[in-house]
Amino acid sequence: MALSRTDREQFLAEPHIAALAVSAGDDRAPLTVPIWYHYTPGGDIWIMTGRDSRKAELIKSAGRFSLMVDRVEPTIRYVSVEGKVVSTVPAVREQLVWISSRYLPPEKVDGYVDDAWKNHGEQVVIHMRPARWVSSDLGQV
């Protein structure tokens, strides 16, 4: 059963690991990778990635990407959302702290952020405006 707008937005706002998909060109399947993200209902989605990463290059070329999040308990539920990129800006350390805090245990955040900020190269934050949604709750199978 498809989710209501409120339910799908609330589900997407939870800290799931998303599968990001972006076109990799005519002769390739889409690049699909796991990623951390942030979404507030009614707003844009943002992700952080390396400025010179393949993912960032493909998103820049395509001008859009999609995310899919799911769970299997207490019911099988998923939300997939696709939209155009509305901005790409240099990341600041505070954003890395924030997104890391969303996914990591508190005692792991500082060490991860220190290492990532030092060793992952320059980061960008890419904002996507959700345009197309697919969602379902399949209940308990």
Side-chain angles (χ1 to χ4, degrees):
M1 170 175 252
L3 300 174
S4 69
R5 178 180 179 159
T6 299
D7 287 345
R8 73 183 186 207
E9 288 186 350
Q10 183 57 46
F11 185 72
L12 188 62
E14 296 170 3
H16 303 281
I17 304 294
L20 179 145
V22 61
S23 174
D26 292 338
D27 296 333
R28 301 280 306 264
L31 173 71
T32 305
V33 294
I35 195 162
W36 294 347
Y37 70 96
H38 174 69
Y39 175 71
T40 300
D44 295 336
I45 295 168
W46 68 264
I47 61 164
M48 184 181 292
T49 190
R51 183 192 71 191
D52 299 323
S53 68
R54 181 163 185 252
K55 180 175 21 195
E57 290 173 7
L58 291 173
I59 291 171
K60 181 178 180 180
S61 177
R64 61 188 330 106
F65 64 92
S66 62
L67 293 180
M68 194 282 298
V69 299
D70 67 340
R71 71 167 193 217
V72 295
E73 292 180 354
T75 61
I76 298 172
R77 177 177 280 198
Y78 71 89
V79 170
S80 178
V81 60
E82 181 260 332
K84 291 182 180 180
V85 171
V86 294
S87 71
T88 301
V89 296
V92 295
R93 186 180 175 98
E94 290 75 20
Q95 289 167 311
L96 181 58
V97 170
W98 193 92
I99 199 83
S100 300
S101 298
R102 178 170 156 89
Y103 289 95
L104 296 175
E107 68 274 9
K108 301 285 186 179
V109 172
D110 289 341
Y112 174 80
V113 168
D114 289 343
D115 182 67
W117 197 252
K118 179 181 175 184
N119 297 312
H120 292 180
E122 291 185 51
Q123 301 286 302
V124 292
V125 172
I126 302 170
H127 293 260
M128 179 258 278
R129 179 140 314 131
R132 293 180 184 86
W133 297 77
V134 178
S135 64
S136 184
D137 190 318
L138 304 175
Q140 295 178 324
V141 179

